[in-house]
């Protein structure tokens, strides 16, 4: 019996070979082994009615020239036999506590509550996610820091217990070496020494009073800004100024028309800050509205032309954006009538991604918009590639099911017509067969497209912004951390924080893997993993 030319599809490739109708399935599999490298026992060849078995008589299949097979399976190895692993496998039970804490995907350490210190714990956990700050802290060494053999060091004390920046450096190092709740006692003492307001006693006389997390954040950053600048070089910007400081251009204009008639002009100025305020009132429902309200405020001051007090409108526009933007929801305010701090419980929603271009000066907008729009285009291209990949997988699955005869059943009339058309001709089909790309080929195309897009993005970045180390060049911010207060009172309640999980770093390439979208919830020494849905509920209301 003459050999029959057939085609075998495997992982997006086509192999043409001749099939001997007098042989069996096992012989055919060995032929394919020589072509694909897939061992016979690992091959899955789909034929009408199921899979090709080793003892199947190929002549019974009654194949015609040009018949197409679908084969699945991968080689067991590279054919070089077993090899000793280059690195010894280390199991978790054999690791030290520090090694476990530093392993990929490890749960981070919590912080013990030392008596109404949840405000501080939440602040420290959120600040810890900034890698540039971590790097700078590790290099920090205060002047006059005693050695372990000095008289001060021999007493178990060091300048770290007196220096807020050194205490933070040591605390973060200790937290990186454990997964247990760690007591931030040394840092707390340094904070209360530097800023006595955090040592205020509770009204009932028992322990310390609850404090404001935003105030702690502001004071800690201000101290780091000063200390880290002195440690590097007084002439250079500190890491805080580079990555946290924003600048704005302001205009103060009198609201009274009489002042304008007398020639009083608006006063222009520039300001720098480490946070952007989101003002909240009865009209604010979203973060964007609160930021806009914060950039326009009413002042009362003396008018030099009117020679009396008058109302002025101060308008601000951002002229420099930092890499990390701190947004403060102004929920606490001082009530003059009751002479105490109160909390605004209004619900204010915030997005997972914030576009701040509209809050910027016209000059900065021109620099940001091209990069921002290109990022959006790249994201759309990546989404299109992912959709195409999923679509191709579905099409490949349908083709495999049809090849094995286990696909979706066609309507009877359509099936009979197809069989009749098949009987009319014995000629092999000349219709082009669809070739599917492998996942590796799709991923390679995606990587190449992203690389090309990144190069184009870099070319779009304004030279002035590119030279500003630590500046945001797109106007887009991704939400990475949240500090939230639970409770209706400003003087009580409880603070917790949420930090978005990072992807796991590949030890071979150093590249970060894809993120799973979940968050770490830091509730003092209790640390748990939550979904993004939990973070979306943190819109206020107490």
């Amino acid at each position: 019996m003459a050999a029959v030319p057939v085609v075998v599809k495997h992982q997006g490739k086509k192999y043409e070979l001749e099939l001997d109708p007098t042989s069996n399935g096992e012989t055919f599999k060995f032929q394919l082994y020589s072509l694909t490298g897939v061992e016979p026992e690992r091959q899955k060849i789909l034929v009408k009615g199921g899979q090709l078995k080793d003892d199947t008589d190929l002549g019974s299949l009654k194949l015609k020239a040009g018949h197409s097979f679908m084969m699945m399976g991968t080689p067991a190895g590279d054919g070089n036999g077993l090899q000793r692993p280059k690195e010894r496998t280390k199991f978790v039970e054999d690791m030290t506590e520090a090694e476990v804490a530093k392993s990929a995907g490890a749960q981070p350490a919590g912080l013990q509550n030392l008596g109404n210190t949840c405000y501080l714990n939440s602040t420290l956990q959120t600040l810890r996610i900034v890698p540039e700050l971590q790097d700078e802290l590790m290099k920090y060494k205060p002047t006059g820091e005693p050695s372990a053999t000095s008289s001060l060091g021999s007493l178990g004390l060091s300048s770290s217990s007196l220096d807020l920046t050194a205490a933070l450096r040591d605390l973060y190092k200790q937290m990186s070496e454990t997964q247990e709740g760690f007591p931030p006692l040394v840092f707390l003492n340094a904070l209360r020494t530097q800023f006595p307001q955090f040592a205020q006693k509770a009204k009932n006389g028992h322990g310390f009073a609850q404090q404001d997390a935003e105030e702690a954040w502001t004071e800690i950053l201000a101290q780091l800004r000063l200390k880290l600048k002195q440690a590097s070089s007084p002439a250079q910007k500190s890491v805080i100024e580079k990555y946290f400081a924003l600048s704005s251009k302001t205009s103060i204009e009198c609201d009274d028309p009489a002042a304008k008639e007398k020639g009083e002009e608006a006063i222009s100025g520039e300001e720098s800050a480490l946070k952007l305020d989101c003002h909240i009132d009865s009209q604010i429902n979203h973060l964007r509205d609160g930021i806009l309200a914060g950039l326009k405020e009413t002042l009362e001051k003396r008018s030099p032309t009117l020679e009396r007090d008058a109302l002025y409108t101060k308008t601000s526009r951002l002229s420099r954006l930092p890499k990390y933007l701190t947004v403060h929801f102004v929920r606490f305010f001082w009530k003059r009538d009751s002479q105490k701090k109160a909390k605004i419980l209004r619900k204010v929603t915030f997005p997972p991604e914030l576009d701040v271009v509209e809050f910027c000066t016209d000059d900065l907008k021109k620099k940001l918009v091209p990069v921002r729009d290109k990022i959006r285009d790249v994201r759309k291209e990546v989404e299109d590639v992912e959709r195409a990949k999923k679509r191709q997988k579905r099409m490949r699955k349908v083709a495999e099911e049809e090849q094995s005869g286990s696909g979706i059943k066609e309507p009877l009339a359509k099936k009979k017509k197809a069989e009749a058309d098949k009987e009319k001709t014995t000629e092999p089909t000349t219709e082009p067969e669809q070739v599917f790309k492998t996942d590796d080929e799709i991923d390679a195309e995606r990587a190449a497209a992203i690389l090309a897009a990144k190069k184009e993005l870099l070319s779009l970045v304004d030279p002035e912004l590119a030279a500003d180390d630590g500046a945001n060049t797109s106007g887009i911010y991704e939400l990475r951390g949240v500090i939230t207060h639970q409770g209706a009172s400003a003087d009580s309640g409880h603070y917790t924080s949420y930090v978005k999980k990072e992807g796991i770093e590949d030890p071979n390439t150093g590249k970060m893997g894809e993120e799973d979208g979940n968050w770490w919830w830091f509730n003092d020494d209790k640390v748990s993993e939550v979904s993004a849905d939990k973070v979306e509920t943190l819109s206020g209301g107490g």
Side-chain angles (χ1 to χ4, degrees), residues 25-213:
E26 184 179 17
T27 304
F28 186 52
K29 288 182 178 181
F30 273 103
Q31 282 184 270
L32 292 175
Y33 176 41
S34 65
L35 294 173
T36 64
V38 180
E39 296 82 351
E41 64 272 13
R42 296 178 61 85
Q43 295 177 18
K44 181 180 178 183
I45 302 172
L46 305 179
V47 296
K48 189 173 182 180
Q51 297 182 38
L52 180 67
K53 297 181 180 179
D54 290 349
D55 58 357
T56 300
D57 181 4
L58 298 181
S60 64
L61 298 178
K62 299 180 179 177
L63 302 174
K64 295 181 179 179
H67 182 84
S68 178
F69 288 98
M70 181 71 71
M71 171 183 154
M72 291 183 289
T74 56
D78 58 7
N80 294 329
L82 298 176
Q83 296 181 355
R84 183 184 296 274
K86 294 181 179 179
E87 295 183 6
R88 181 185 175 189
T89 303
K90 199 166 190 179
F91 298 98
V92 175
E93 51 268 25
D94 298 327
M95 295 181 180
T96 64
E97 182 182 5
E99 288 174 333
V100 173
K102 293 178 180 179
S103 61
Q107 178 176 293
L111 290 169
Q112 294 178 18
N113 192 317
L114 303 178
N116 277 337
T117 58
C118 57
Y119 72 95
L120 179 62
N121 294 344
S122 300
T123 298
L124 294 175
Q125 292 286 16
T126 309
L127 195 58
R128 190 184 174 204
I129 66 178
V130 181
E132 293 87 354
L133 175 59
Q134 293 271 12
D135 294 341
E136 199 69 20
L137 283 172
M138 289 301 105
K139 294 185 288 185
Y140 176 72
K141 190 172 183 180
T143 55
E145 184 171 21
S147 64
T149 58
S150 69
S151 58
L152 187 60
S154 63
L155 295 174
L157 300 173
S158 70
S159 63
S160 299
S161 61
L162 307 174
D163 188 310
L164 187 76
T165 305
L168 183 61
R169 174 200 64 193
D170 297 342
L171 175 62
Y172 282 161
K173 184 177 184 300
Q174 291 161 335
M175 290 174 65
S176 69
E177 297 173 348
T178 183
Q179 289 183 294
E180 302 297 326
F182 191 84
L185 185 59
V186 174
F187 182 84
L188 180 62
N189 289 336
L191 178 72
R192 288 172 175 167
T193 301
Q194 188 74 37
F195 304 105
Q197 66 266 34
F198 295 108
Q200 179 185 357
K201 297 289 185 178
K203 292 181 179 179
N204 58 13
H206 300 291
F208 293 92
Q210 175 69 283
Q211 299 291 338
D212 187 348

Side-chain angles (χ1 to χ4, degrees), residues 266-287:
I267 303 173
S268 299
E270 293 188 13
E271 295 180 354
S272 177
L274 296 179
K275 60 184 175 65
L276 189 62
D277 285 336
C278 170
H279 285 217
I280 302 175
D281 57 30
S282 59
Q283 305 298 318
I284 303 300
N285 298 308
H286 191 268
L287 173 62

Side-chain angles (χ1 to χ4, degrees), residues 322-336:
K323 182 176 180 179
Y324 301 98
L325 178 66
T326 303
V327 179
H328 173 217
F329 282 62
V330 188
R331 290 193 176 276
F332 297 144
F333 69 102
W334 183 257
K335 293 186 71 172
R336 294 182 179 178

Side-chain angles (χ1 to χ4, degrees), residues 303-317:
S303 168
T305 55
L306 300 178
E307 298 183 341
R308 60 176 173 81
D309 288 346
L311 295 178
Y312 285 75
T313 297
K314 178 183 178 181
T315 305
S316 303
R317 283 293 177 267

Side-chain angles (χ1 to χ4, degrees), residues 262-522:
K262 291 185 176 182
E264 183 173 334
E265 297 182 353
I267 303 173
S268 299
E270 293 188 13
E271 295 180 354
S272 177
L274 296 179
K275 60 184 175 65
L276 189 62
D277 285 336
C278 170
H279 285 217
I280 302 175
D281 57 30
S282 59
Q283 305 298 318
I284 303 300
N285 298 308
H286 191 268
L287 173 62
R288 172 187 174 275
D289 305 327
I291 292 177
L292 282 175
L295 293 174
K296 191 174 184 178
E297 54 182 317
T298 300
L299 307 174
E300 185 177 357
K301 70 185 191 77
R302 186 167 183 80
S303 168
T305 55
L306 300 178
E307 298 183 341
R308 60 176 173 81
D309 288 346
L311 295 178
Y312 285 75
T313 297
K314 178 183 178 181
T315 305
S316 303
R317 283 293 177 267
L318 305 179
S319 56
R320 195 260 181 185
L321 298 177
K323 182 176 180 179
Y324 301 98
L325 178 66
T326 303
V327 179
H328 173 217
F329 282 62
V330 188
R331 290 193 176 276
F332 297 144
F333 69 102
W334 183 257
K335 293 186 71 172
R336 294 182 179 178
D337 54 350
S338 60
Q339 290 295 297
K340 66 178 184 180
K341 190 186 290 187
K343 180 179 179 181
I344 302 173
L345 300 177
R346 184 174 182 80
K347 180 178 179 180
V348 179
T349 59
F350 53 87
E353 184 177 274
L354 179 64
D355 182 350
V356 300
V357 171
E358 65 173 309
F359 311 133
C360 299
T361 61
D362 291 339
D363 182 52
L364 185 55
K365 282 180 183 178
K366 294 176 183 177
K367 300 173 182 177
L368 297 174
V369 168
V371 181
R372 181 199 64 181
D373 293 347
K374 183 59 183 178
I375 288 176
R376 290 175 174 172
D377 292 340
V378 171
R379 287 179 179 173
K380 186 177 182 303
E381 291 174 6
V382 171
E383 290 172 359
D384 290 343
V385 170
E386 287 298 322
R387 281 195 292 267
K389 186 176 179 180
K390 292 178 181 178
R391 183 168 59 250
Q392 181 168 262
K393 280 186 176 181
R394 289 195 300 268
M395 294 171 62
R396 183 187 300 170
K397 184 178 179 182
V398 170
E400 291 173 354
E401 289 176 346
E402 290 178 349
Q403 186 71 23
S404 64
S406 59
I408 302 172
K409 302 296 181 182
E410 296 179 351
L412 185 60
K414 187 176 180 181
K415 187 174 181 180
K416 286 184 176 180
K417 183 178 184 302
E419 290 177 350
D421 292 342
K422 191 174 180 180
E423 291 175 356
K424 287 181 182 179
T425 178
T426 58
E427 296 292 330
T429 177
T430 58
E431 187 176 328
E433 297 178 358
Q434 188 169 5
V435 178
F436 298 106
K437 294 180 180 178
T438 64
D439 290 347
D440 290 341
E441 290 174 334
I442 295 177
D443 290 339
E445 290 181 358
R446 176 188 178 189
I450 292 176
L451 181 61
K454 284 183 177 179
K455 290 181 179 179
E456 186 175 354
L457 267 176
L458 289 174
S459 67
L460 292 173
V461 175
D462 183 88
E464 188 176 341
L465 288 182
D468 185 355
D469 187 21
N472 179 298
T473 59
S474 67
I476 298 175
Y477 288 93
E478 178 193 7
L479 184 65
R480 301 298 303 188
V482 178
I483 301 174
T484 181
H485 178 265
Q486 299 166 307
S489 172
D491 296 322
S492 60
H494 183 59
Y495 282 99
T496 63
S497 63
Y498 296 79
V499 170
K500 194 169 186 180
K501 287 180 60 183
E502 293 185 336
I504 298 176
E505 183 179 354
D506 188 324
N508 298 320
T509 64
K511 295 182 179 179
M512 301 299 293
E514 290 189 11
E515 298 179 348
D516 60 12
N518 288 342
W519 291 64
W520 292 119
W521 179 23
F522 295 98

